[in-house]
Amino acid sequence: MRPWLYRLISALFALLLLLQGGRALHVNKARTVENSFLPGAVWNDSEGSPIQAHGGQVQRMPIPDGNGGKTEVYVWVGENKTDGHLGNPVAVYTSEDLVHWTCRGDVLRPLDSVEQIDTDPYFQALYGSYGEEEKRNLFDCIGRDKVIERPKMLYNAKNDNYVIWFHSDGPTEKNSYSYDLGMAGLAVSDSPFGPFRFVGRYRLSECPEGQIDCYPSSKGEARDLNLFADEDGTAYIVYTSENNKTIYISRLNEDYTGLSGKEYGVDYLRIFPGAMREAPVLIKAEGRYYLMTSSTTGWGSNQARVWSADSIFGKWHSDGNPCAGKGRGVTFDTQSTTLFQAPNGQWIYGGDRWNGENLADSRYVWLPATFEDGKLSIQWQDEWHWD
Ligand code: DGJ
C-alpha cells in the first residue's frame, strides 16, 4: 500500500475512532491499586525508561539460570522504536510478575553501514568471516533504513537455542516503497538475550495450484507475522501474504529455521483469501486454536476479527469481533500483537496503540481476555490486575 493511501486510511480511522468513543480510552491516571495494569499509560521498565517492545510477544519461556541450567520467566520481545520507524533493534525484557520489567537490551541490532561489520566488535564477532558480497547483502537486509518489525521468539528444545522471526522489508528495484519486498527474516542465538545472528530473509509458502491467488504477481510474500509452538513442540509461523490480502499458517521445521515442506494442508494452510487481515496472533486455549487479526490501516486502529478451529490445518470458523464495550469497533484503539496467560491462568490480550506521529511514544494496552463457549472475548478496563 502506498504511503499517501496509508495516511488517508489512518485519517479515516482516526475519525472512526472519535465516533466510536475511542478517545475516551486514552486515560493517563495514576495507579489506585498496587501492581495493576493501566492500559495505554506510559509504562516504564525497572530503570525508569519507557518500555520499547512494540509489535511484540510476551510468553513464559526457559532462559539460562547462570548455573548451566534453565529457569522460566516471562519474556517480552519487540521493536525498539526509540529512533522511529525504520531499522528498529529487537529488544528483550524479562519479568516475574508481568508488571515490572527488566530491560535485557537490544538482542538483534541493525547496521549503520557496511563498514561497521569490520569496525564494531559486536558485528565483527557475528559476521567478521563474511565476504564482501555477503556483507553488502547483510547491510541490505538489516541496515538502518530497512523494516525490522513484529519480531517473535521461540525456544527450540531440540537444539537448546532461540530463534527470532520478524517482518523484514525494504524497497525493490521496481519500487522505492519501504514495504515492497515482503519477507520474513530469521535470526538465531544460544541465548534469549542475544546477540542474535541474522541468518537470512525468505519468501514463504505459495498459493497452491487450483486456488485463486489474490496477488499472483508476487509469490510467497510475508509481512506482519507471529509464531506459535504447540504443546508437542511443533511450531508454526502465521503471516499476512498476497499483498496483505490472505493469512497463511505454515509449519516450521524441527529447528524452527525454515518451513517443514510445501504440501498444502499438511505443511501450510491459506486462510480467509481476500479478507485483508494483518497483525495475526495464533494461540491455543482450552483445547481450541484461535487466530486474532486486525484490518490493514497502517498505524490507525480498526476492528479486530477472530477465527477459531479444532486443529491448525482444519476448518476455521469466523467468530467475529472479540472486543466488547467502549471502543470495541477499533479494538480499544490498538492493533493485536500477543495473547498469553498470567501465572494464575488468566489470559491477557496485548495490543499496540501506535502513535504514527511519534512511534517511540506508541503505548501498550493489556486487557483481560476470556474464552466462553469457545469464543474469545476482550473487555476494556481503565485499570486492572490479574491476581
Ligand atoms: C501495520 C503493521 O501491522 C505494522 O506492523 C506496521 O507495518 C504498520 N502497518 C506500518 O504502517
Side-chain angles (χ1 to χ4, degrees), residues 16-306:
L16 179 65
L17 183 64
L18 269 178
L19 297 175
Q20 288 278 341
R23 289 286 162 217
L25 307 170
H26 290 239
V27 279
N28 234 340
K29 60 174 192 167
R31 281 200 170 92
T32 60
V33 179
E34 204 186 337
N35 293 341
S36 65
F37 296 114
L38 285 176
V42 172
W43 195 346
N44 289 335
D45 65 16
S46 53
E47 300 288 309
S49 304
I51 294 172
Q52 285 291 335
H54 311 277
Q57 166 209 38
V58 176
Q59 69 192 295
R60 200 159 171 83
M61 67 156 49
I63 65 163
D65 66 2
N67 295 314
K70 290 271 190 291
T71 180
E72 281 210 349
V73 295
Y74 283 95
V75 174
W76 185 352
V77 58
E79 302 156 28
N80 177 349
K81 284 195 136 28
T82 304
D83 293 328
H85 181 192
L86 298 172
N88 297 141
V90 176
V92 163
Y93 295 78
T94 53
S95 175
E96 299 283 355
D97 65 3
L98 295 170
V99 174
H100 302 96
W101 290 91
T102 304
C103 181
R104 301 299 191 133
D106 293 334
V107 301
L108 174 67
R109 284 173 47 189
L111 277 164
D112 293 324
S113 64
V114 181
E115 292 69 45
Q116 198 184 8
I117 302 170
D118 295 319
T119 56
D120 184 329
Y122 173 92
F123 290 110
Q124 238 172 5
L126 289 171
Y127 312 108
S129 64
Y130 277 23
E132 291 311 308
E133 200 182 323
E134 284 173 301
K135 286 177 187 166
R136 276 195 302 277
N137 179 52
L138 181 70
F139 180 62
D140 198 34
C141 294
I142 57 166
R144 279 274 175 199
D145 58 344
K146 297 301 183 315
V147 169
I148 301 172
E149 289 181 353
R150 296 197 172 262
K152 307 291 178 309
M153 194 193 291
L154 286 178
Y155 170 64
N156 185 278
K158 176 179 161 246
N159 299 324
D160 188 20
N161 68 0
Y162 299 79
V163 301
I164 286 180
W165 283 90
F166 65 95
H167 174 194
S168 175
D169 224 322
T172 58
E173 279 174 11
K174 285 192 204 136
N175 198 321
S176 60
Y177 179 49
S178 296
Y179 291 89
D180 205 49
L181 207 60
M183 287 189 166
L186 169 70
V188 178
S189 175
D190 288 337
S191 163
F193 310 134
F196 276 79
R197 193 174 62 80
F198 177 79
V199 178
R201 62 182 177 190
Y202 315 96
R203 285 282 172 102
L204 301 180
S205 305
E206 296 182 7
C207 182
E209 298 273 323
Q211 293 190 22
I212 299 168
D213 190 334
C214 298
Y215 201 61
S217 62
S218 185
K219 298 273 186 197
E221 284 185 351
R223 291 196 172 82
D224 281 11
L225 59 79
N226 219 314
L227 297 174
F228 165 69
D230 215 334
E231 287 134 357
D232 65 357
T234 310
Y236 301 85
I237 182 165
V238 53
Y239 50 100
T240 183
S241 189
E242 300 177 10
N243 202 21
N244 286 358
K245 291 186 175 66
T246 304
I247 296 276
Y248 280 58
I249 301 177
S250 300
R251 187 150 57 100
L252 292 174
N253 62 23
E254 288 187 354
D255 299 327
Y256 302 165
T257 53
L259 303 184
S260 63
K262 292 184 171 178
E263 196 178 337
Y264 189 76
V266 173
D267 294 303
Y268 73 104
L269 197 70
R270 191 172 164 262
I271 330 175
F272 338 129
M276 296 275 331
R277 310 302 297 177
E278 62 180 4
V281 184
L282 178 61
I283 53 148
K284 188 179 197 177
E286 296 169 12
R288 195 165 171 78
Y289 297 90
Y290 294 84
L291 177 62
M292 182 170 178
T293 62
S294 77
S295 184
T296 54
T297 55
W299 304 116
S301 50
N302 53 57
Q303 187 162 307
R305 200 167 159 195
V306 166

Side-chain angles (χ1 to χ4, degrees), residues 357-371:
E357 304 299 312
N358 177 8
L359 284 166
D361 189 34
S362 299
R363 304 288 176 83
Y364 313 100
V365 171
W366 288 14
L367 294 169
T370 56
F371 295 87

